[in-house]
Amino acid sequence: MTEPSPSTNPARAALAVPDFRWFFIGNAVSQTGSYVQNAAVAVLVFDLTGRNTAVGLTTAFMFMPVLLLALVGGELADRFDRRMIFVSTQVLSVASVAALAVVTGLGHVTPGWIYATSIVLGVGYALSIPTMHALIPSLVPPRSLGPAIGLTAVTFNLARVVGPVLAAAALVAVGYTWAFSLNALTFVVFIVALMLIRPRPAVVQEGRATLRDGLRAAWDDRAVRGMLLGIAALAVALDPVNTLSPAFAVDVFGRSGAAAPIYVTAYGAGSIAAAFGIGRLFRHAEANVRLGALTLSLMALGMIGFGLSPTYEAGLVALFVAGVGGLATITLFTTGIQQRVPDRVRGRVMAIWTLCALGMRFPAGVVDGVLADWLGPRAAVLILQVPLALLVGFVLWRLPPVRGHAEPASMEFAE
């Protein structure tokens, strides 16, 4: 694997590496399918129950396994073949989604079936996300790490644009069964892409890292600790985009359920717009934590605008702004964390990242749904921005820029 020259466009240099290119394409297809299903499931549960709490439970059940198993996933990623772990999780996801499609097609779907599928998908997330973070460093040269992280974040947010649009079209034209079937097919595409890549062998180091080593690496480094807290606060603040979009579309603005996924699309569109500036964020070696605090504040302002939006269209604009800040933040903080941790504990530290980024969606989904049913969806959005505002004001602005760890030979990273 050759190093790109400093003059090469950072994103183009990362995509020029065949292994990362296969991963990028497969992940983009799979994540698009996941967002088709997530948007369709939210509308289906709201149709079946009429309650925001039920929609929130769908999110909570999906991310509950992350809280329980993410650290296990990180340990597996540090001990075993990362690619094959990833493939195994995708096979598990295909089976669960295909079963949901069949049950829905037969007319027997209930919230219980949806919750069970969410739990199985959550197990896949818990094991695959730390593995993904640990795998991508072996797909690109060190100079392309930041852009590769940004591009992977773009993948998720490109899916946020395309997936909900496809979901809205599917709900109008062919129904829930085909939306779920499409998601199952996209998992198969990703499995094929994963089988085509050939990661570099992991760096062999003396001694086997323990879970305590990973926790210590995350907690003892003040910058890493602050960025992990920032990612957790972002996950909580962002939850209403998925959980409350049906309530805003149907109850607040009197639209049909098919209008709800467009809210997720608006957030994703903002993320794609932010992606055009990703290369500029990595002109220097370090990730600027204070810049991350600024972009996190931008995301919060967009979410507040969504909560206060006087019209459906104004909410779309506000979520576009939130998407710009959200993508920039997750890219800066994830890159900064990867720059600070050595390879021998990377899987474990990225498991903690997974707890923050996805595990926090479990309590956030429950709290979000309950608050929306109790105080209304607007109040729920605003309340979930409070932890983020406190973190930015009292923690992140005091952190210095992040520079690389003292083990540059193992500084390979991902998102």
Side-chain angles (χ1 to χ4, degrees), residues 1 19 82 134-140 198-202 412-414:
M1 186 178 299
D19 286 331
R82 291 165 177 172
L135 176 68
I136 296 179
S138 65
L139 303 181
V140 295
R198 293 294 180 267
R200 292 193 309 273
E412 327 156 333
F413 40 104

Side-chain angles (χ1 to χ4, degrees), residues 3-4 10 14 20 133 136-138 140-152 278 282 331 334-341 346 410-415:
E3 290 271 0
F20 179 74
H133 282 281
I136 296 179
S138 65
V140 295
R143 185 182 295 277
S144 295
L145 177 56
I149 291 173
L151 284 167
T152 306
I278 287 296
F282 295 99
T331 304
T334 304
T335 303
I337 292 166
Q338 290 277 25
Q339 285 175 321
R340 295 294 303 174
V341 300
R346 177 164 287 119
S410 63
M411 197 169 65
E412 327 156 333
F413 40 104
E415 204 267 330

Side-chain angles (χ1 to χ4, degrees), residues 220-228 285-294 332-333 335-337 339-340 392 394-404:
D220 289 350
D221 189 311
R222 182 166 163 252
V224 170
R225 185 171 71 242
M227 288 185 288
L228 286 170
E286 68 274 356
N288 191 320
V289 182
R290 291 188 177 181
L291 179 58
L294 183 62
L332 282 163
F333 284 176
T335 303
I337 292 166
Q339 285 175 321
R340 295 294 303 174
V392 169
F394 294 100
V395 177
L396 295 181
W397 282 113
R398 302 180 181 182
L399 295 178
V402 174
R403 291 180 171 82

